[in-house]
Amino acid sequence: IPDSVTKICSFAFSGCTGLLSVDIPESVDSIGDSAFYNCKNLKNITILSSLDFIDHHAFYGCKNLNSVIYYGNRQPEIGVYRRLSLYPVFIKCSNLNEIHVPYDYKEDTFCGIQVIKGKI
């Protein structure tokens, strides 16, 4: 993703089965609804800055996703699913058990997933 991108729009990469890894640059401040929906072969995500916003279902169905590295020091605002007040960002991401963040990250979770601080 080029540094000129500031927002990843809804459904931008939806169903992209050839996507194995993605590096989201510092310029991106928001990720839209279902942006990476059903990217079944996506394994690794690196987010190089603090996001301001990440919408619900952003990574829905990324069943092989096992590594997320987030360089921000705070959790972004999370889009609330219309019928539930949950953070369903990583629904059906059955291989994702932890997210790596810097030591100065302010929370214990990122979008409802336990974080490991300082291993990046």
Side-chain angles (χ1 to χ4, degrees):
I1 299 174
D3 289 338
S4 58
V5 173
T6 59
K7 177 181 181 173
I8 298 175
C9 294
S10 297
F11 298 96
F13 296 96
S14 179
C16 187
T17 58
L19 189 61
L20 304 176
S21 179
V22 65
D23 291 338
I24 298 172
E26 290 182 34
S27 58
V28 172
D29 60 14
S30 66
I31 298 175
D33 168 31
S34 305
F36 294 91
Y37 186 93
N38 272 338
C39 291
K40 296 178 181 179
N41 295 316
L42 181 62
K43 294 181 180 181
N44 306 303
I45 300 167
T46 302
I47 303 171
L48 296 170
S49 68
S50 287
L51 294 170
D52 291 329
F53 181 78
I54 186 168
D55 212 344
H56 68 279
H57 294 162
F59 297 98
Y60 180 100
C62 296
K63 65 181 183 178
N64 287 307
L65 181 61
N66 61 27
S67 174
V68 174
I69 299 172
Y70 180 65
Y71 282 90
N73 63 3
R74 61 176 170 71
Q75 177 160 295
E77 180 183 340
I78 307 295
V80 177
Y81 187 57
R82 291 178 191 107
R83 288 176 256 170
L84 303 170
S85 59
L86 300 173
Y87 304 127
V89 171
F90 294 105
I91 287 183
K92 295 194 178 185
C93 297
S94 54
N95 287 322
L96 182 61
N97 296 317
E98 57 195 36
I99 296 177
H100 296 269
V101 296
Y103 281 117
D104 63 347
Y105 185 75
K106 310 236 185 296
E107 308 290 331
D108 292 327
T109 62
F110 178 82
C111 301
I113 306 290
Q114 188 68 37
V115 297
I116 295 178
K117 293 183 181 183
K119 291 191 174 186
I120 57 174

